[in-house]
Amino acid sequence: MRLELSPLLKIIGDWISSLGLPTWLVDLIEMIGAAAMVMGMAFLIILFLVWWERKLSGHFQQRFGPMRTGWHGWLQTIADGIKLFQKEDIIPKTVDRKVFYWAPVICFASSFAAFACLPWGKNLWPTDLNIGILYIFAITTFTVISLLMAGWSSNNKYALLGGMRSAAQIVSYEVPLTLSVLGVIVATQSLSMVAIVGAQEKVYNWFIFRQPLGFLIYLIAATAETNRAPFDIPEAEQELVAGFNIEYSGMKFAMFFMAEFLNLFLVSAVAVTLFLGGWHGPFLPSWLWFLLKAFLIVFVIIWFKWTYPRLRVDQLMEFCWKFLLPLAFLNLIVAGFLFR
Amino acid sequence: MDSAIAPYLFYLFSFVVVVSGLLVVTLRDIFHCALFLILCLFSVAGIYVLLGADFIAAVQVLLYVGAIAVLMIFAIMLTAKVSGIGIKQQNEQVPIAIITTVAFVAIALYGLGKTIWNIKTDVAIPDNTTMAIGKLLMTTYVVPFEIVSVVLLAALIGAIVIARRN
């Protein structure tokens, strides 16, 4: 017996609509309820990922990572969160206050908004848009804007350089990222995330086997999109101290930090949906499969981070435009012939 | 969108479009102008969604916010000595501009009043606009589509040539 979540949600939904409330109110309650559930899930994922990244980085470097707060340090992120809440909210004198204030909000909101059309499990998604994957790519472009806002408004040369490096990198790598996904879309004839998962019911139908090159390009470009090593020149400590968020502290800093982990999970979840069969899998409940696969991709990206040295900026751009982009076009052309 | 709140959303988006558009041309900090331009373009995407053109809405955000606005902000950042300086958005030609604008608005309002608007379409709006747009671009409008592609390619090559010379 698989423990699916969708029947449970359906019971709650039926109960709300049986209360005799007006339709718009029922719609509103369901919308807010779904958003709140995804928000709760997102925070749990962030809590876990921060701890997990610290543990993994520790073990990759032959140390333990956090050990003292709870069993193997599992309470560490919660402790850090409480600490950040208590911090004084320092706003430097020369910053552009309004832009400085809104940048972390937009950064977090744009990552979170993309969660709206992830298929978390069997019949378990907040909404199924016709343009699903395109919506995710579109709404996450606001991340770039927020980084530029943070870099500019901080009135600090390190922040400005970091913001510009981030933006240049994300805008460049977005091109191969989008192109790598097109092969899957050509095969399924749909942009809807649910339809793409539906096309991968059998393991041999998973797009990682039908589009291996597309998957590799996606994984590399996604690592660059999240500004993680080996593509982490936007926050290269030796040159920039911290990058775009150098002037931020307290909860504002925490919002950038959380958005980074949300983005990490988002690119992994999209990879799972597009290439690894989404929530399909035997024995275990579908939502657990989805999470397990997503955390596997997260693990691989963290593994990259602690294995490869940082690229230089010219290598970064050359790799994107002269290697990944032609490969992505090649992959698209091959997909066009394959899935006619 | 056939939801009960759709009309209110339309007014909300329109309000944001108009106000942010006005702020783009009146604010003195050029960086703020660029940010309000982004807000304006994003609200236009919201109106597209209300019209059932979800693909166009996503492309609007992807291209205008993700590419064109970023390019503008880069241009601002790379221009020396614009940070924190209030740049005047008016010059000595304000009276002439007012006369032209009033004349244009009068003509536009006259035209708007005279036109008979089709509120209902004869054809049903397709559920999946992406596929419909794709088919039209590859069949009926293939020649304009190809011409636009060639023009963009020419612009791209031109940009590379100019950049190489320096």
Side-chain angles (χ1 to χ4, degrees), chain A residues 205-263:
Chain A
N205 277 339
W206 289 9
F207 282 109
I208 187 173
F209 303 120
R210 295 202 279 171
Q211 282 278 302
L213 188 60
F215 176 69
L216 277 180
I217 297 168
Y218 177 87
L219 197 62
I220 295 169
T223 314
E225 283 280 291
T226 50
N227 284 341
R228 296 178 78 83
F231 307 103
D232 66 339
I233 52 159
E235 41 201 68
E237 301 89 349
Q238 294 87 340
E239 306 156 25
L240 288 178
V241 192
F244 65 89
N245 57 11
I246 185 167
E247 293 288 1
Y248 283 87
S249 57
M251 273 322 279
K252 289 200 184 76
F253 169 77
M255 288 195 65
F256 276 123
F257 192 69
M258 290 194 293
E260 197 184 310
F261 281 90
L262 265 191
N263 258 332

Side-chain angles (χ1 to χ4, degrees), chain A residues 24 96 99 130-131 134-135 137-139 141-142 144-145 148-149 151-153 160 164 167-168 171 174 189 191, chain B residues 4 29 31-32 35 38 42 54-55 58-59 61-62 65-66 69-70 73-74 76-78 82-83 127-128 130-131:
Chain A
W24 62 269
D96 187 338
V99 181
N130 272 333
I131 49 159
L134 194 65
Y135 162 80
F137 285 144
I139 205 78
T141 55
F142 276 96
V144 184
I145 305 290
L148 286 171
M149 282 167 74
W152 175 266
S153 66
L160 184 67
M164 285 184 73
V171 169
E174 210 158 62
Q189 300 273 307
L191 292 168
Chain B
D29 187 328
F31 189 72
H32 292 175
L35 292 181
I38 293 168
F42 185 58
D54 46 4
F55 179 76
V59 170
V61 175
L62 199 61
V65 177
V70 171
I73 294 179
F74 260 93
I76 295 170
M77 283 181 164
L78 292 173
V82 288
S83 64
D127 198 34
N128 192 344
T130 316
M131 200 168 268

Side-chain angles (χ1 to χ4, degrees), chain A residues 46-339:
Chain A
I46 292 168
L47 278 180
F48 176 71
L49 282 186
V50 174
W51 173 78
W52 207 37
E53 157 124 55
R54 293 182 66 177
K55 285 309 272 190
L56 282 177
S57 56
H59 285 285
F60 279 125
Q61 297 175 335
Q62 307 245 315
R63 21 179 208 100
F64 289 116
M67 282 300 275
R68 287 169 194 275
T69 334
W71 180 80
H72 280 253
W74 72 277
L75 284 168
Q76 187 64 48
T77 326
I78 298 170
D80 287 346
I82 295 168
K83 184 194 77 181
L84 279 171
F85 258 117
Q86 294 172 330
K87 287 253 172 172
E88 184 191 350
D89 183 29
I90 301 166
I91 299 175
K93 214 173 188 177
T94 51
V95 300
D96 187 338
R97 291 185 82 94
K98 282 191 181 118
V99 181
F100 188 80
Y101 177 86
W102 281 101
V105 179
I106 292 176
C107 189
F108 187 83
S110 74
S111 307
F112 178 68
F115 278 56
C117 55
L118 285 181
W120 295 82
K122 199 177 178 182
N123 297 323
L124 190 68
W125 46 79
T127 179
D128 175 27
L129 296 177
N130 272 333
I131 49 159
I133 183 70
L134 194 65
Y135 162 80
I136 291 181
F137 285 144
I139 205 78
T140 46
T141 55
F142 276 96
T143 311
V144 184
I145 305 290
S146 71
L147 300 187
L148 286 171
M149 282 167 74
W152 175 266
S153 66
S154 294
N155 209 352
N156 174 317
K157 61 185 170 218
Y158 296 123
L160 184 67
L161 279 173
M164 285 184 73
R165 281 184 180 187
S166 299
Q169 178 173 323
I170 295 177
V171 169
S172 304
Y173 275 84
E174 210 158 62
V175 183
L177 185 82
T178 316
L179 283 172
S180 70
V181 165
L182 282 182
V184 175
I185 293 164
V186 168
T188 51
Q189 300 273 307
S190 175
L191 292 168
S192 151
M193 300 293 269
V194 174
I196 291 171
V197 175
Q200 311 177 70
E201 208 169 321
K202 300 281 182 308
V203 176
Y204 54 83
N205 277 339
W206 289 9
F207 282 109
I208 187 173
F209 303 120
R210 295 202 279 171
Q211 282 278 302
L213 188 60
F215 176 69
L216 277 180
I217 297 168
Y218 177 87
L219 197 62
I220 295 169
T223 314
E225 283 280 291
T226 50
N227 284 341
R228 296 178 78 83
F231 307 103
D232 66 339
I233 52 159
E235 41 201 68
E237 301 89 349
Q238 294 87 340
E239 306 156 25
L240 288 178
V241 192
F244 65 89
N245 57 11
I246 185 167
E247 293 288 1
Y248 283 87
S249 57
M251 273 322 279
K252 289 200 184 76
F253 169 77
M255 288 195 65
F256 276 123
F257 192 69
M258 290 194 293
E260 197 184 310
F261 281 90
L262 265 191
N263 258 332
L264 174 62
F265 183 79
L266 180 72
V267 294
S268 310
V270 171
V272 168
T273 310
L274 294 176
F275 295 102
L276 291 176
W279 42 263
H280 287 298
F283 310 120
L284 296 171
S286 58
W287 52 273
L288 196 59
W289 267 117
F290 178 80
L291 287 180
L292 282 176
K293 288 177 190 173
F295 285 134
L296 178 75
I297 303 280
V298 171
F299 173 77
V300 172
I301 294 178
I302 293 176
W303 190 7
F304 286 165
K305 174 168 178 171
W306 298 99
T307 308
Y308 295 118
R310 180 183 305 136
L311 264 75
R312 237 176 26 226
V313 68
D314 58 320
Q315 293 169 333
L316 181 96
M317 287 300 166
E318 224 160 80
F319 181 68
C320 175
W321 294 105
K322 294 186 181 167
F323 182 74
L324 276 189
L325 191 63
L327 264 190
F329 272 122
L330 183 75
N331 181 55
L332 178 61
I333 293 167
V334 171
F337 280 108
L338 271 182
F339 306 119

Side-chain angles (χ1 to χ4, degrees), chain B residues 122-161:
Chain B
D122 301 331
V123 244
I125 298 170
D127 198 34
N128 192 344
T129 54
T130 316
M131 200 168 268
I133 290 172
K135 274 192 183 138
L136 281 177
L137 280 182
M138 284 296 143
T139 53
T140 321
Y141 300 107
V142 68
V143 177
F145 181 66
E146 288 301 324
I147 290 173
V148 169
S149 315
V150 172
V151 169
L152 286 176
L153 185 67
L156 197 69
I157 295 169
I160 293 170
V161 169

